[in-house]
Amino acid sequence: MPAPLDPPEGNWWDEPVNRRETIWLGIAGLWSVGIFGWMSGFTQFGDQNPIGETYDVEPDAYRERVQEYKDAAEETERGLVPPEDSVYVGAMRYNWDALPVVLEAGREYDVHLGAYDVQHGFSIRPEETLSKQINLQVFPGNEWVIPMTFDEPGTYHVICNEFCGQGHRSMHGTLVVEEA
Amino acid sequence: MLGTLRALFGNEYDAEGYRSCSVTGLDVHRSVEEHVKLFGVTAVVALVVGGSFAFTVATTRWELIGLLEPGDFYTHLSLHAWNLLIFWMVFMEIAVLYVGGPMVLGRRLPLTALAKAGWAVMVAGAVGVNLSIWFTEAPEQAPLLTAYVPLPVSPWFYATAIVFLLGATVAALPFFAAVWKEKRGAATKTLPLVTFGAFVTGVIAVEAILGGIAAFAYALVWRVGLIESVEVGIYRQLYWIVGHGTQQINLLAMVTVWYFLTHVVGGAVVVSEKVSRSAFILYLFFINLGAAHHLLVDPGMSTGWRVWNTSYAFYGAAFASMIHAFAIPAGIEAGRRQRGLGGGLFGWLTSAPWRNPVFSSVVFSVILFGFLGGITGVVMGQMQVNMTWHNTLATVGHFHATVALGTTLTFMGLTLFVVKTMFRREFVSDRLASLVPYAYAGTMSVATLMLMYAGILYGVPRRTAEVVRNIPGTDFSLAAASPLFALFGVFALLAILSGILFVVATVGSLLFGADNSGGDLTDLHAEGGLTPDGGTSVHAVELRGTFVLCLVFMAAFVAAYVLNWYLLTQLWSIGA
C-alpha cells in the first residue's frame, strides 16, 4: 500500500488517478487559467490598474520639479490648484509635499508620485467611505505618473503606509475634489 | 540541569546506533535524532522570544491600550517578525529536512560536524540580529522584517542576518549529502514522497538564501560606505527573493509535514504518487515567481512582468497547492475507508483521532491555511486587487493565516509529536495537550479575520503605532474600525495565551513528563495499523467526502474573489 515514507513500488507513474481527483484537477486548472485571463484582460478593459509611466529621477531633482509645480500652481485657502492636468506629490519624512490640492471632479489628472528621502506608501481614501482605498509604493529615485479621475466630490485623505521612521504615523495630507 | 539535558538527548540504541520507532516504523539513527532535537529545541526558544513580542505588538495596535511608544513599537515589531517568521521557522525547517531526509531513509546523518557548525553559526546570527535590533538608536531605525533601503538600518543588522543565512546553508548540507548518498549508484530509485518533498523544500531554501545574502550584502556595502548610493528597486527585488522565498520554504516544509503526520497518526495513504509529486515539481519551477507579489504596486515594473510573475506563470504554484488541498484529506479518507473506519460522506473524518493533538493540529492547519491563507494570497496577488491590500493590515491578516495558522500550527503538532516519540516523554497533561490546537486555531482565526477586515474594509495600514483612534496633527482618523480592534485585541491575547499553553505542554513535558521509553506509544498509533491491510485499491476508493470539501473550498475561493473585485471596481478610475 502506498505510504509517503516508503519508496513507491513498481511503475507508479502509470498508476491510474482516482476519478474524483481527476475532476478536481480539471476544476482547479480551469480556475487557475480563468483568473489569469481575468487579471490580464482587466489591464485592457478595466478602469482600476496600477499602471503608469515611470521615470528615473534623483530625489533632489524631483524635489525641484515639485517646487516648480508649486510655484506655478494657484494658492487658495483649501490648497493648491494645479496649473494643468499634472498633480505632483512629494513624499518626505513626515509630510506630503504639495498637498493639500484642489481638484475638479470628473477630470483626468496625471498624479506624479515620488519621494525625497526614503520609501513611503501613498494610501488614499475618501473621508466618507473608508473601504474605498488604494495603496501605491513611492520610491526615492523614481517618478511614477498614474492617471486618476475622481468622480465623487469630497475630501480624500492620504496617509503613509510604508514605515519611514519614528514620525511615520503623523504623515497625512488631503486632496479636495470639487464639482467642476 | 546537565543531567536533565543528557537524559533528554539519550535514548536506547542498538550497537549500530539505531532504534526502531513503534509509531512510524522507521529505523532511526542516533545522529539524526540528536540533531533534530537540537534544532527543534532552539526553534522553540525562538518561538518563546518572538511570541513574547506578540503581546507588546498586539496591545499597542489595540489603541485602547496603546502599550508602547512609537519608537519602542517598531523595535518590538522587528523582533516579533524576525524571531517568529525567520528563526522559529528556519530552525524547525532544518529539523524537518533531517527528518524528511536521513530519518525517513533510515540513514545516519552525514557530516554531523557541519550540522553542529551550521547550528552554531545560525545561533550566532540570530542572537546578533536580536541584539542589533534591540540596541538600534536614532538616527538609525528598526529594520522591521524588510530593512528597506535607504532607511538607515544598523550595518550590524545586515551583517548578522547574512551570518544567519550562511549558517542555515551549512546546516542544510548534511541533508543534501544524505540524499546524494541514497541516490549514488541507484539513480533510478525513487525517493519516498516525504523525502522528495523535503528535497524540493531544500532547493527552494537555497534559492531564497542566495537572494537574501545578495540583498543584505548589497545594503551592507552601502551602509559601510563602500558604494555611494543604493537603488531602491534593485534592493526590493533582491530582498523579496528571501522575504517571500522563506515563506515558500515554510509552505513546502509544512506540506511535507502534512503528508508525514497525516500518515503516521491518521493512517493516510498517498492517493497518487504521480499527482502529488507533480505538484512539488510545479512548486520547484514556479513558486519563487511569487516574490513579485510584493512589487505589484511599485513604480518601474512592467505590466507584463508583474502579471506573469504574480501568477506564478498561469497559477502553476496555486494549482499545485490546490492539488495538495485535495491529496492530503483524500489520503486520510482513502486510508480510513480502506480500513472500514467511518461510513457515509464524512464518517471517516468525524471518527478520526480528534483528541490526538498531533492530528488535530495538522487538520486545522490544512483547513485554515487553505481557506484563510491560500485564498487571500491568490486574491491579493492579483495585480489590480493588490492596490486595495498592499501594506494594509489585511496583508498582515493574510500572513498570519499562512504562517501562524498554517506553518506554526503544523510545527506545534510536529513538536508535540517529537516530545513523545523522540524525547520519549509523556505529556504533563494529556488534556492540556489536546486543548492546545483547538485553543490556538480558534482564537488566532478570529484575530486573523479582524486584521483582514480592518485592512480591506477600513484601509488600516500595517507597520504603524497608531492611526485608528488618532493621527497626530489632524482630526481625521480611522476610528470607524475601532470595534474590530476590540475583537482583535481580545482574541490576539487569547491566541498568545494559547501559545503559552503550548509552551507549557512542550517544555513542561520535557522537564516533568514521565519517561515513556519502555512503552510503544499505542495512543499515537494510526487506527488499524500504519498501512491498510488490503482493501480497495486507492484509485478506486470513493473519495466523496474530500470532493465535497474541495467544492466548498472552491465556492469560498470564488466568493472571496468576486467580492474583492467588486470592491475594487467601486473605486475611481486609476491607471493608464
Side-chain angles (χ1 to χ4, degrees):
Chain A
M1 278 297 150
L5 301 183
D6 304 320
E9 290 162 11
N11 185 354
W12 51 269
W13 185 261
D14 287 342
E15 288 282 325
V17 177
N18 187 287
R19 185 171 59 94
R20 286 193 177 81
E21 183 161 35
T22 312
I23 300 171
W24 175 250
L25 292 179
I27 295 171
L30 278 177
W31 177 245
S32 299
V33 174
I35 60 177
F36 178 86
W38 175 260
M39 171 170 60
S40 312
F42 201 84
T43 63
Q44 304 302 315
F45 60 74
D47 284 336
Q48 291 84 15
N49 284 291
I51 298 174
E53 289 294 322
T54 310
Y55 303 95
D56 288 338
V57 55
E58 287 302 312
D60 288 344
Y62 184 69
R63 189 171 199 151
E64 280 168 30
R65 227 172 265 180
V66 177
Q67 189 56 49
E68 282 166 26
Y69 156 85
K70 281 162 72 177
D71 293 342
E74 183 195 339
E75 277 190 54
T76 71
E77 278 183 12
R78 291 150 302 144
L80 295 174
V81 178
E84 291 167 40
D85 287 340
S86 275
V87 176
Y88 281 80
V89 178
M92 60 191 286
R93 298 164 155 203
Y94 301 103
N95 184 26
W96 294 100
D97 195 18
L99 294 186
V101 66
V102 183
L103 306 178
E104 288 174 22
R107 175 171 166 187
E108 181 176 286
Y109 290 93
D110 285 332
V111 178
H112 297 242
L113 299 173
Y116 302 160
D117 38 40
V118 297
Q119 295 182 46
H120 296 276
F122 181 81
S123 174
I124 179 170
R125 75 277 289 140
E127 189 168 297
E128 304 305 324
T129 321
L130 296 183
S131 64
K132 291 187 176 182
Q133 45 92 28
I134 62 142
N135 308 278
L136 300 166
Q137 195 76 18
V138 186
F139 287 7
N142 280 126
E143 177 177 349
W144 197 10
V145 187
I146 306 253
M148 289 192 199
T149 310
F150 297 92
D151 296 320
E152 306 269 332
T155 304
Y156 288 69
H157 292 269
V158 180
I159 57 179
C160 179
N161 74 355
E162 182 58 80
F163 174 61
C164 58
Q166 304 274 334
H168 167 51
R169 71 200 194 286
S170 63
M171 246 175 108
H172 170 258
T174 53
L175 282 78
V176 182
V177 177
E178 298 186 337
E179 293 281 6
Chain B
M1 181 74 190
L2 268 180
T4 317
L5 270 182
R6 202 169 297 130
L8 282 176
F9 275 77
N11 265 332
E12 297 273 327
Y13 300 95
D14 65 18
E16 310 257 287
Y18 281 96
R19 70 180 183 88
S20 179
C21 174
S22 68
V23 180
T24 59
L26 296 171
D27 288 325
V28 178
H29 193 265
R30 169 183 214 135
S31 58
V32 191
E33 192 163 47
E34 286 176 352
H35 288 87
V36 168
K37 290 176 180 176
L38 178 65
F39 280 90
V41 167
T42 316
V44 172
V45 172
L47 176 73
V48 171
V49 175
S52 313
F53 289 107
F55 175 78
T56 52
V57 167
T59 49
T60 305
R61 287 302 316 237
W62 188 9
E63 291 177 30
L64 187 69
I65 296 182
L67 185 69
L68 298 176
E69 289 302 307
D72 293 333
F73 173 74
Y74 299 120
T75 302
H76 285 230
L77 184 59
S78 306
L79 291 167
H80 175 61
W82 273 85
N83 283 294
L84 289 183
L85 215 42
I86 306 293
F87 304 141
W88 148 244
M89 297 280 161
V90 178
F91 277 108
M92 203 66 183
E93 279 147 5
I94 299 290
V96 169
L97 289 185
Y98 292 174
V99 170
M103 192 176 282
V104 168
L105 294 172
R107 310 189 68 97
R108 38 171 81 228
L109 185 72
L111 311 172
T112 47
L114 278 187
K116 288 192 181 70
W119 176 83
V121 176
M122 284 169 77
V123 169
V127 170
V129 165
N130 273 288
L131 292 178
S132 71
I133 294 173
W134 188 254
F135 289 111
T136 289
E137 278 187 17
E140 287 180 344
Q141 301 284 340
L144 306 189
L145 185 72
T146 47
Y148 279 149
V149 298
L151 204 65
V153 168
S154 164
W156 286 106
F157 166 80
Y158 291 116
T160 47
I162 292 172
V163 169
F164 177 79
L165 293 175
L166 287 172
T169 314
V170 173
L173 289 177
F175 163 78
F176 287 109
V179 174
W180 183 68
K181 288 186 173 197
E182 178 77 8
K183 295 287 278 185
R184 188 176 46 180
T188 57
K189 196 164 136 190
T190 307
L191 294 171
L193 179 61
V194 165
T195 310
F196 185 71
F199 179 70
V200 177
T201 307
V203 175
I204 302 270
V206 171
E207 291 173 13
I209 286 171
L210 290 177
I213 291 173
F216 295 142
Y218 178 48
L220 179 62
V221 295
W222 167 69
R223 286 293 287 144
V224 298
L226 289 176
I227 55 173
E228 285 211 347
S229 65
V230 65
E231 284 274 339
V232 172
I234 291 176
Y235 176 82
R236 284 174 66 90
Q237 280 217 34
L238 290 173
Y239 171 76
W240 282 112
I241 299 175
V242 68
H244 204 79
T246 44
Q247 307 324 308
Q248 313 297 15
I249 311 171
N250 298 342
L251 169 73
L252 267 85
M254 173 183 75
V255 172
T256 303
V257 173
W258 285 351
Y259 278 107
F260 177 74
L261 288 180
T262 53
H263 171 64
V264 294
V265 301
V269 295
V270 182
V271 289
S272 170
E273 294 276 357
K274 173 165 70 177
V275 174
S276 289
R277 283 165 198 264
S278 300
F280 277 114
I281 292 287
L282 285 170
Y283 279 156
L284 183 63
F285 285 120
F286 299 122
I287 203 158
N288 273 342
L289 305 187
H293 292 176
H294 302 266
L295 312 173
L296 294 177
V297 293
D298 276 16
M301 311 306 295
S302 80
T303 307
W305 187 93
R306 283 181 284 169
V307 168
W308 175 255
N309 285 292
T310 192
S311 75
Y312 318 92
F314 299 114
Y315 286 97
F319 180 57
S321 288
M322 287 190 274
I323 289 177
H324 296 306
F326 187 96
I328 299 282
I332 302 174
E333 179 172 8
R336 292 183 66 81
R337 282 195 194 279
Q338 283 176 324
R339 294 173 175 86
L341 298 168
L345 193 57
F346 293 120
W348 56 277
L349 190 59
T350 51
S351 66
W354 289 102
R355 278 174 183 278
N356 179 345
V358 181
F359 180 82
S360 59
S361 297
V362 170
V363 173
F364 290 152
S365 165
V366 173
I367 295 170
L368 294 169
F369 179 89
F371 277 86
L372 298 183
I375 289 176
T376 55
V378 172
V379 170
M380 74 188 282
Q382 293 244 296
M383 183 179 72
Q384 298 88 345
V385 174
N386 192 257
M387 280 194 291
T388 61
W389 281 72
H390 179 71
N391 274 1
T392 68
L393 268 184
T395 332
V396 182
H398 157 72
F399 66 71
H400 279 77
T402 54
V403 184
L405 291 170
T407 314
T408 296
L409 189 50
T410 294
F411 285 178
M412 282 179 172
L414 184 65
T415 307
L416 293 171
F417 181 76
V418 168
V419 166
K420 277 207 150 183
T421 58
M422 293 196 204
F423 287 105
R424 306 306 311 249
R425 290 290 181 276
E426 285 301 307
F427 296 135
V428 276
S429 157
D430 283 335
R431 187 169 294 202
L432 174 69
S434 295
L435 173 73
V436 165
Y438 290 85
Y440 186 74
T443 54
M444 195 67 185
S445 294
V446 178
T448 296
L449 281 170
M450 292 309 124
L451 289 171
M452 289 179 189
Y453 293 154
I456 203 72
L457 298 178
Y458 297 93
V460 177
R462 64 189 289 195
R463 301 182 150 183
T464 183
E466 60 179 349
V467 289
V468 173
R469 295 164 75 95
N470 172 41
I471 299 176
T474 171
D475 291 338
F476 175 69
S477 73
L478 306 174
S482 290
L484 288 183
F485 278 86
L487 274 172
F488 164 76
V490 170
F491 278 89
L493 290 178
L494 289 173
I496 293 164
L497 182 65
S498 311
I500 295 172
L501 293 183
F502 166 74
V503 174
V504 169
T506 314
V507 180
S509 303
L510 289 185
L511 297 177
F512 308 113
D515 188 331
N516 70 17
S517 49
D520 62 358
L521 300 172
T522 41
D523 53 330
L524 279 184
H525 287 201
E527 245 176 302
L530 202 53
T531 51
D533 211 5
T536 325
S537 178
V538 174
H539 62 83
V541 177
E542 295 282 340
L543 299 172
R544 289 177 290 151
T546 299
F547 191 65
V548 169
L549 290 177
C550 282
L551 290 181
V552 171
F553 170 77
M554 185 51 82
F557 201 160
V558 173
Y561 188 83
V562 171
L563 270 173
N564 272 275
W565 274 95
Y566 172 75
L567 274 176
L568 178 73
T569 53
Q570 298 309 299
L571 293 168
W572 60 95
S573 162
I574 301 154

